[in-house]
Amino acid sequence: MMKNIAFSEVLTLKDQIQYQQGQVVSRTLVQNNAVSVTLFSFDKDEKISTHESDGDAFVICLDGVGRITIDAVEYELHQGESIVMPARHPHAVYGREQFKMLLVVIF
């Protein structure tokens, strides 16, 4: 079940989460055994360090510029671009500038 978001209302996803100085902010929209959907905002130079997930993770850049590292290869994402971080591969996320993303993980 979805949470933390309005129903039956046209929304702009990037406006559903705000930047906070020196922080990575997250807002969970769905979390269950099959899927996780989370909005993230990264202040410039903030990061989620290298880790692995049991699910394939689909990232959509909503605002700004982020750097995604998968298996030690860096990819730069701009607004409207996306990438898939495959399950059980080391990956990290870095706010090269302020950066907002939607993360959908399928388990």
Side-chain angles (χ1 to χ4, degrees), residues 62-73:
L62 303 173
D63 188 47
V65 180
R67 185 175 67 218
I68 308 294
T69 304
I70 305 168
D71 293 324
V73 177

Side-chain angles (χ1 to χ4, degrees), residues 93-104:
V93 182
Y94 171 76
R96 196 167 152 264
E97 297 176 5
Q98 285 189 323
F99 171 58
K100 292 182 182 179
M101 69 180 209
L102 177 69
L103 175 69
V104 179

Side-chain angles (χ1 to χ4, degrees), residues 42-84:
F42 292 74
D43 196 16
K44 181 179 170 136
D45 296 324
E46 294 300 317
K47 65 181 178 179
I48 297 175
S49 57
T50 303
H51 63 285
E52 293 182 18
S53 171
D54 289 334
D56 291 322
F58 180 52
V59 174
I60 304 163
C61 178
L62 303 173
D63 188 47
V65 180
R67 185 175 67 218
I68 308 294
T69 304
I70 305 168
D71 293 324
V73 177
E74 294 181 354
Y75 304 88
E76 192 167 279
L77 282 184
H78 300 88
Q79 185 174 347
E81 296 178 331
S82 58
I83 193 166
V84 175

